[in-house]
Amino acid sequence: MSFFKTNQLGATMIEALGVLTIIVMLGVSSIKLIGNLYNMFRQSLVVNEIKDLQKAISDRYKFEGNYKELLEGKTPEETAKFLCDKKMVPFQMCINGQLYHRMGGEVWVMPVENFDEEGSAYNDYSKYALTFWGLDDKVCVNAAQINWYTQQKSDVYKMIINSGTDKELIVDLPYNKQEGSKTFPVLVQDVLNACSKGKENEIEWIFF
């Protein structure tokens, strides 16, 4: 009888350890799932920030046909402060008067350089460049595939993905295609090849 009780006690302990193991495994799985969901949520927030910032700038200046007020004579830091002061950007992007996206990287709004017939450089204020720095590969892939076509026309003129490697991807509108660049619509495989693992990716869009 004593031997039977000892066996019963041992079996109970094994069962308890089994249940505890299952609980731990479920807990770890839940933590991973929550972490993945949170990362997906932040990725979608960054994509929304890109679209919201572009829309805010476009809505304010599209009737003027140029971005001189926003860009002329300003550094990227001064333009960021201007946007924050005018409350033209999502409030969470403004930190001490500078622009940052949800993944923590900087955001720059800059003039676009062009060249006259004599080859001299000048700022073309009919366009502006929007750059998101420090994107991880998943955000890079999602952001690069944003559809900028509205009312049967494109708001974007050019897109450049740079991961600090030799895999830079340049995508142009068909009539503006340069040597070595691709044309819109961008191909998923090209984006996957250009966006590197880690948080060293940057994307620059040039908008009308």
Side-chain angles (χ1 to χ4, degrees), residues 67-191:
Y67 303 93
K68 279 190 174 184
E69 181 192 22
L70 177 66
L71 302 170
E72 190 171 27
K74 294 183 178 73
T75 64
E77 291 78 14
E78 290 169 337
T79 297
K81 187 175 186 308
F82 178 86
L83 288 166
C84 290
D85 289 346
K86 297 291 184 181
K87 300 186 181 345
M88 292 173 58
V89 295
F91 73 93
Q92 76 276 2
M93 295 185 71
C94 291
I95 302 175
N96 297 325
Q98 297 303 299
L99 295 176
Y100 297 89
H101 59 73
R102 195 57 67 100
M103 290 293 186
E106 286 189 272
V107 177
W108 283 12
V109 182
M110 299 174 292
V112 175
E113 191 177 74
N114 213 333
F115 297 89
D116 61 23
E117 294 179 356
E118 298 177 354
S120 300
Y122 68 95
N123 287 332
D124 181 358
Y125 293 114
S126 67
K127 305 178 184 70
Y128 68 94
L130 175 61
T131 307
F132 272 59
W133 306 78
L135 300 174
D136 69 23
D137 55 311
K138 293 182 179 63
V139 179
C140 178
V141 170
N142 290 331
Q145 296 180 81
I146 295 174
N147 181 11
W148 296 109
Y149 283 80
T150 60
Q151 299 177 353
Q152 297 183 337
K153 70 180 184 62
S154 173
D155 292 328
V156 72
Y157 180 81
K158 182 189 288 286
M159 180 179 71
I160 303 169
I161 301 177
N162 192 333
S163 60
T165 68
D166 59 356
K167 297 189 297 182
E168 181 182 66
L169 174 64
I170 301 174
V171 188
D172 286 308
L173 290 176
Y175 70 83
N176 184 54
K177 188 179 185 315
Q178 308 292 315
E179 185 178 352
S181 70
K182 306 282 186 177
T183 57
F184 289 107
V186 64
L187 299 179
V188 175
Q189 191 57 51
D190 289 335
V191 172

Side-chain angles (χ1 to χ4, degrees), residues 187-206:
L187 299 179
V188 175
Q189 191 57 51
D190 289 335
V191 172
L192 290 172
N193 289 336
C195 294
S196 295
K197 294 287 186 183
K199 294 187 177 180
E200 300 304 320
N201 300 289
E202 66 184 66
I203 303 184
E204 177 181 312
W205 295 270
I206 296 177

